[in-house]
Amino acid sequence: MTTHSPKQAVKTSLYASKAPLEWAVTSNGTLYTAQIPIDNKGEVVSGGIEAQTRQTLDNLKHTLESAGVGMDAVLQVLIYVTDREYLKTVNQVYAEYFEAPYPNRAALVIAGLAREEMLVELVVYASVP
């Protein structure tokens, strides 16, 4: 019989969502999170795909630090963008936040995200102590 630890919320200073969600939870040494391009007021940042990607990655970095780890703990990233053309910019900004060996990742071009003005969202899995 296998035992597992109960999930625990990661306490961050990100905007408190009105939706029934945590910005990140951990269980059995893995952190699960989805990050979006919102500021500390809960507003989607303006400035296009570069600004939104940077905000999303800054939110991720903060979340990981809140869990006691850094960007090097990231194992896998699922990138969602609303336009294929955005991937070049996402890759450029992404490369500023990660070093080799890079996380495994997938990129998906989708019709839309939860908020119409959102251009990017990241789903991330990371290793935590």
Side-chain angles (χ1 to χ4, degrees), residues 10-15 23-24 31 33 35 38 40 54-71 97:
V10 174
K11 298 298 178 210
T12 72
S13 62
L14 297 177
Y15 179 79
W23 284 118
L31 177 141
T33 187
Q35 296 293 326
I38 59 169
N40 59 7
R54 200 168 298 284
Q55 182 68 55
T56 302
L57 285 161
D58 285 345
N59 291 349
L60 172 61
K61 187 175 181 189
H62 166 75
T63 298
L64 293 167
E65 288 170 353
S66 297
V69 296
M71 296 294 275
Y97 287 79

Short mmCIF file of all heavy atoms in Angstrom, two decimals, residues 10-15 23-24 31 33 35 38 40 54-71 97:
data_model
loop_
_atom_site.label_atom_id
_atom_site.label_comp_id
_atom_site.label_asym_id
_atom_site.label_seq_id
_atom_site.Cartn_x
_atom_site.Cartn_y
_atom_site.Cartn_z
N VAL A 10 0.44 26.52 -1.30
CA VAL A 10 1.64 27.35 -1.18
C VAL A 10 1.16 28.78 -0.94
O VAL A 10 0.40 29.32 -1.76
CB VAL A 10 2.51 27.27 -2.45
CG1 VAL A 10 3.68 28.24 -2.37
CG2 VAL A 10 2.99 25.84 -2.68
N LYS A 11 1.57 29.37 0.15
CA LYS A 11 1.17 30.74 0.46
C LYS A 11 2.03 31.72 -0.34
O LYS A 11 3.24 31.72 -0.21
CB LYS A 11 1.31 31.03 1.95
CG LYS A 11 0.42 30.16 2.81
CD LYS A 11 -1.05 30.36 2.51
CE LYS A 11 -1.93 29.45 3.34
NZ LYS A 11 -3.16 29.09 2.66
N THR A 12 1.39 32.52 -1.19
CA THR A 12 2.09 33.52 -2.00
C THR A 12 1.48 34.88 -1.73
O THR A 12 0.47 34.98 -1.04
CB THR A 12 1.94 33.21 -3.51
OG1 THR A 12 0.59 33.51 -3.91
CG2 THR A 12 2.29 31.78 -3.85
N SER A 13 2.07 35.92 -2.30
CA SER A 13 1.46 37.25 -2.21
C SER A 13 0.81 37.64 -3.54
O SER A 13 0.53 38.80 -3.78
CB SER A 13 2.51 38.29 -1.79
OG SER A 13 3.53 38.37 -2.76
N LEU A 14 0.54 36.63 -4.38
CA LEU A 14 -0.18 36.90 -5.63
C LEU A 14 -1.61 37.31 -5.31
O LEU A 14 -2.14 36.99 -4.25
CB LEU A 14 -0.19 35.65 -6.53
CG LEU A 14 1.18 35.16 -7.02
CD1 LEU A 14 1.02 33.89 -7.82
CD2 LEU A 14 1.88 36.23 -7.84
N TYR A 15 -2.23 37.99 -6.26
CA TYR A 15 -3.61 38.44 -6.10
C TYR A 15 -4.51 37.26 -5.72
O TYR A 15 -4.45 36.20 -6.35
CB TYR A 15 -4.09 39.08 -7.41
CG TYR A 15 -5.52 39.55 -7.35
CD1 TYR A 15 -5.84 40.75 -6.72
CD2 TYR A 15 -6.54 38.80 -7.91
CE1 TYR A 15 -7.15 41.19 -6.66
CE2 TYR A 15 -7.85 39.23 -7.85
CZ TYR A 15 -8.16 40.43 -7.22
OH TYR A 15 -9.45 40.86 -7.16
N TRP A 23 -3.02 29.18 -6.08
CA TRP A 23 -2.03 29.44 -7.12
C TRP A 23 -1.06 28.29 -7.25
O TRP A 23 -0.52 28.05 -8.32
CB TRP A 23 -1.30 30.75 -6.86
CG TRP A 23 -2.15 31.93 -7.20
CD1 TRP A 23 -2.57 32.91 -6.33
CD2 TRP A 23 -2.71 32.26 -8.46
NE1 TRP A 23 -3.37 33.81 -6.99
CE2 TRP A 23 -3.48 33.44 -8.32
CE3 TRP A 23 -2.67 31.66 -9.72
CZ2 TRP A 23 -4.17 34.03 -9.35
CZ3 TRP A 23 -3.37 32.25 -10.77
CH2 TRP A 23 -4.10 33.41 -10.58
N ALA A 24 -0.86 27.56 -6.15
CA ALA A 24 0.01 26.39 -6.21
C ALA A 24 -0.31 25.49 -5.04
O ALA A 24 -0.67 25.95 -3.95
CB ALA A 24 1.48 26.79 -6.18
N LEU A 31 5.31 20.28 -6.87
CA LEU A 31 4.51 21.50 -6.84
C LEU A 31 3.74 21.57 -8.16
O LEU A 31 4.30 21.32 -9.23
CB LEU A 31 5.41 22.72 -6.71
CG LEU A 31 4.72 24.09 -6.73
CD1 LEU A 31 5.37 25.03 -5.74
CD2 LEU A 31 4.76 24.70 -8.12
N THR A 33 1.24 24.12 -10.40
CA THR A 33 0.78 25.50 -10.48
C THR A 33 0.38 25.85 -11.91
O THR A 33 0.88 25.26 -12.87
CB THR A 33 1.86 26.49 -9.97
OG1 THR A 33 1.30 27.81 -9.91
CG2 THR A 33 3.10 26.50 -10.84
N GLN A 35 0.03 29.60 -14.00
CA GLN A 35 0.32 31.01 -13.84
C GLN A 35 -0.20 31.82 -15.02
O GLN A 35 -0.11 31.36 -16.17
CB GLN A 35 1.83 31.23 -13.70
CG GLN A 35 2.42 30.59 -12.45
CD GLN A 35 1.94 31.25 -11.16
OE1 GLN A 35 1.72 32.45 -11.10
NE2 GLN A 35 1.81 30.46 -10.11
N ILE A 38 -1.18 38.29 -14.56
CA ILE A 38 -1.88 39.32 -13.79
C ILE A 38 -0.93 39.99 -12.82
O ILE A 38 0.04 39.41 -12.36
CB ILE A 38 -3.10 38.76 -13.02
CG1 ILE A 38 -2.70 37.65 -12.05
CG2 ILE A 38 -4.18 38.32 -13.99
CD1 ILE A 38 -3.81 37.26 -11.09
N ASN A 40 -0.54 42.65 -9.22
CA ASN A 40 -0.98 42.51 -7.83
C ASN A 40 -2.38 43.04 -7.57
O ASN A 40 -2.90 42.91 -6.47
CB ASN A 40 0.05 43.15 -6.88
CG ASN A 40 0.26 44.62 -7.16
OD1 ASN A 40 -0.43 45.22 -7.98
ND2 ASN A 40 1.22 45.22 -6.48
N ARG A 54 6.49 37.92 -19.47
CA ARG A 54 7.38 38.32 -18.37
C ARG A 54 6.61 38.32 -17.04
O ARG A 54 7.11 37.81 -16.03
CB ARG A 54 7.95 39.71 -18.67
CG ARG A 54 9.20 40.03 -17.90
CD ARG A 54 9.90 41.28 -18.44
NE ARG A 54 10.35 41.14 -19.82
CZ ARG A 54 11.42 40.45 -20.20
NH1 ARG A 54 12.15 39.82 -19.30
NH2 ARG A 54 11.76 40.38 -21.47
N GLN A 55 5.40 38.86 -17.03
CA GLN A 55 4.59 38.88 -15.80
C GLN A 55 4.27 37.46 -15.34
O GLN A 55 4.35 37.14 -14.16
CB GLN A 55 3.29 39.67 -16.00
CG GLN A 55 2.44 39.78 -14.75
CD GLN A 55 3.08 40.64 -13.69
OE1 GLN A 55 3.44 41.78 -13.95
NE2 GLN A 55 3.25 40.12 -12.49
N THR A 56 3.92 36.60 -16.28
CA THR A 56 3.58 35.21 -15.96
C THR A 56 4.79 34.50 -15.35
O THR A 56 4.67 33.80 -14.34
CB THR A 56 3.09 34.48 -17.22
OG1 THR A 56 1.94 35.17 -17.74
CG2 THR A 56 2.69 33.05 -16.91
N LEU A 57 5.96 34.70 -15.94
CA LEU A 57 7.18 34.07 -15.42
C LEU A 57 7.61 34.69 -14.09
O LEU A 57 8.11 33.99 -13.21
CB LEU A 57 8.30 34.13 -16.46
CG LEU A 57 8.10 33.12 -17.61
CD1 LEU A 57 8.93 33.51 -18.82
CD2 LEU A 57 8.42 31.71 -17.16
N ASP A 58 7.41 36.00 -13.91
CA ASP A 58 7.68 36.63 -12.62
C ASP A 58 6.76 36.03 -11.54
O ASP A 58 7.19 35.76 -10.42
CB ASP A 58 7.49 38.14 -12.68
CG ASP A 58 8.63 38.86 -13.40
OD1 ASP A 58 9.71 38.25 -13.61
OD2 ASP A 58 8.43 40.04 -13.76
N ASN A 59 5.49 35.81 -11.89
CA ASN A 59 4.54 35.21 -10.95
C ASN A 59 4.98 33.77 -10.62
O ASN A 59 4.90 33.35 -9.46
CB ASN A 59 3.13 35.21 -11.53
CG ASN A 59 2.53 36.60 -11.62
OD1 ASN A 59 3.07 37.57 -11.08
ND2 ASN A 59 1.42 36.71 -12.33
N LEU A 60 5.47 33.05 -11.62
CA LEU A 60 5.96 31.70 -11.39
C LEU A 60 7.17 31.73 -10.45
O LEU A 60 7.23 30.96 -9.48
CB LEU A 60 6.34 31.03 -12.72
CG LEU A 60 7.05 29.69 -12.57
CD1 LEU A 60 6.19 28.65 -11.86
CD2 LEU A 60 7.50 29.19 -13.95
N LYS A 61 8.11 32.61 -10.73
CA LYS A 61 9.32 32.71 -9.91
C LYS A 61 8.94 33.00 -8.45
O LYS A 61 9.47 32.38 -7.52
CB LYS A 61 10.24 33.79 -10.47
CG LYS A 61 11.58 33.85 -9.80
CD LYS A 61 12.49 34.87 -10.49
CE LYS A 61 13.84 34.89 -9.80
NZ LYS A 61 14.68 35.97 -10.25
N HIS A 62 8.02 33.94 -8.24
CA HIS A 62 7.56 34.27 -6.90
C HIS A 62 6.92 33.05 -6.23
O HIS A 62 7.18 32.77 -5.05
CB HIS A 62 6.55 35.43 -6.95
CG HIS A 62 5.80 35.59 -5.67
ND1 HIS A 62 6.37 36.14 -4.55
CD2 HIS A 62 4.54 35.23 -5.33
CE1 HIS A 62 5.48 36.13 -3.56
NE2 HIS A 62 4.37 35.58 -4.01
N THR A 63 6.10 32.33 -6.96
CA THR A 63 5.42 31.15 -6.42
C THR A 63 6.44 30.09 -6.00
O THR A 63 6.34 29.52 -4.91
CB THR A 63 4.44 30.58 -7.46
OG1 THR A 63 3.45 31.59 -7.73
CG2 THR A 63 3.75 29.33 -6.96
N LEU A 64 7.42 29.84 -6.85
CA LEU A 64 8.45 28.86 -6.52
C LEU A 64 9.25 29.30 -5.29
O LEU A 64 9.51 28.48 -4.39
CB LEU A 64 9.40 28.66 -7.71
CG LEU A 64 8.77 27.98 -8.93
CD1 LEU A 64 9.68 28.13 -10.13
CD2 LEU A 64 8.45 26.52 -8.65
N GLU A 65 9.63 30.57 -5.23
CA GLU A 65 10.36 31.08 -4.07
C GLU A 65 9.52 30.95 -2.80
O GLU A 65 10.05 30.65 -1.74
CB GLU A 65 10.79 32.53 -4.31
CG GLU A 65 11.91 32.64 -5.34
CD GLU A 65 12.21 34.06 -5.80
OE1 GLU A 65 11.45 35.00 -5.44
OE2 GLU A 65 13.20 34.23 -6.54
N SER A 66 8.22 31.16 -2.92
CA SER A 66 7.32 31.00 -1.78
C SER A 66 7.30 29.56 -1.28
O SER A 66 7.03 29.30 -0.11
CB SER A 66 5.90 31.45 -2.14
OG SER A 66 5.88 32.83 -2.46
N ALA A 67 7.58 28.62 -2.19
CA ALA A 67 7.64 27.19 -1.83
C ALA A 67 9.04 26.76 -1.44
O ALA A 67 9.29 25.59 -1.16
CB ALA A 67 7.14 26.35 -3.01
N GLY A 68 10.00 27.71 -1.46
CA GLY A 68 11.35 27.41 -1.01
C GLY A 68 12.28 26.86 -2.08
O GLY A 68 13.32 26.27 -1.76
N VAL A 69 11.91 27.03 -3.35
CA VAL A 69 12.76 26.55 -4.45
C VAL A 69 12.94 27.64 -5.50
O VAL A 69 12.29 28.68 -5.44
CB VAL A 69 12.18 25.26 -5.12
CG1 VAL A 69 12.15 24.11 -4.12
CG2 VAL A 69 10.80 25.50 -5.70
N GLY A 70 13.80 27.38 -6.47
CA GLY A 70 14.04 28.32 -7.55
C GLY A 70 13.56 27.76 -8.89
O GLY A 70 13.00 26.67 -8.96
N MET A 71 13.84 28.50 -9.93
CA MET A 71 13.42 28.11 -11.27
C MET A 71 14.04 26.77 -11.70
O MET A 71 13.48 26.06 -12.53
CB MET A 71 13.75 29.20 -12.28
CG MET A 71 13.03 30.52 -12.06
SD MET A 71 11.24 30.44 -12.30
CE MET A 71 11.15 30.68 -14.07
N TYR A 97 14.74 33.17 -18.08
CA TYR A 97 14.34 32.66 -16.77
C TYR A 97 14.86 31.26 -16.48
O TYR A 97 14.87 30.84 -15.32
CB TYR A 97 12.81 32.66 -16.65
CG TYR A 97 12.23 34.04 -16.49
CD1 TYR A 97 12.07 34.88 -17.59
CD2 TYR A 97 11.82 34.51 -15.25
CE1 TYR A 97 11.53 36.16 -17.45
CE2 TYR A 97 11.27 35.78 -15.10
CZ TYR A 97 11.14 36.59 -16.20
OH TYR A 97 10.60 37.84 -16.05
#
